[in-house]
Amino acid sequence: MINHDTALYPELAAYLEARMGELATIPDERKATLRQLATYIVARKRTSDKVALNFICTHNSRRSHLSQLAMAAALAYFGIEGVSSW
């Protein structure tokens, strides 16, 4: 469910909306991995008030920073509460 009441910068909201059409291009193998992660997060959310996701990259290439920001934007876009990204 998309939370259109979330206060996102208009440019970010438009970017995320445009990316929704690209979900079909994610390979099935990757979708299976992402589904496992989503299932884990939902299970943790059911047993805890808060879930914290920590993104760590190797080689100091800033992927963890970008992943954390992408997750924070997605959580806000979909109105998912009680999950934070670090």
Side-chain angles (χ1 to χ4, degrees):
M1 171 186 246
I2 299 171
N3 181 5
H4 290 290
D5 295 328
T6 300
L8 292 175
Y9 287 107
E11 295 86 357
L12 178 57
Y15 177 82
L16 293 172
E17 192 69 38
R19 301 293 70 79
M20 294 301 294
E22 298 174 4
L23 294 178
T25 65
I26 299 172
D28 289 339
E29 182 178 314
R30 184 71 174 152
K31 285 181 185 177
T33 301
L34 294 171
R35 200 169 291 115
Q36 287 177 333
L37 176 60
T39 300
Y40 173 78
I41 293 169
V42 168
R44 287 282 306 187
K45 184 74 177 109
R46 287 186 180 140
T47 61
S48 175
D49 288 341
K50 297 180 182 179
V51 175
L53 304 174
N54 189 11
F55 294 86
I56 302 170
C57 72
T58 57
H59 308 296
N60 292 323
S61 59
R62 297 180 191 84
R63 287 179 298 224
S64 58
H65 302 289
L66 295 174
S67 298
Q68 183 272 324
L69 292 171
M71 179 58 76
L75 293 168
Y77 183 80
F78 289 105
I80 299 171
E81 296 179 359
V83 179
S84 59
S85 61
W86 303 94

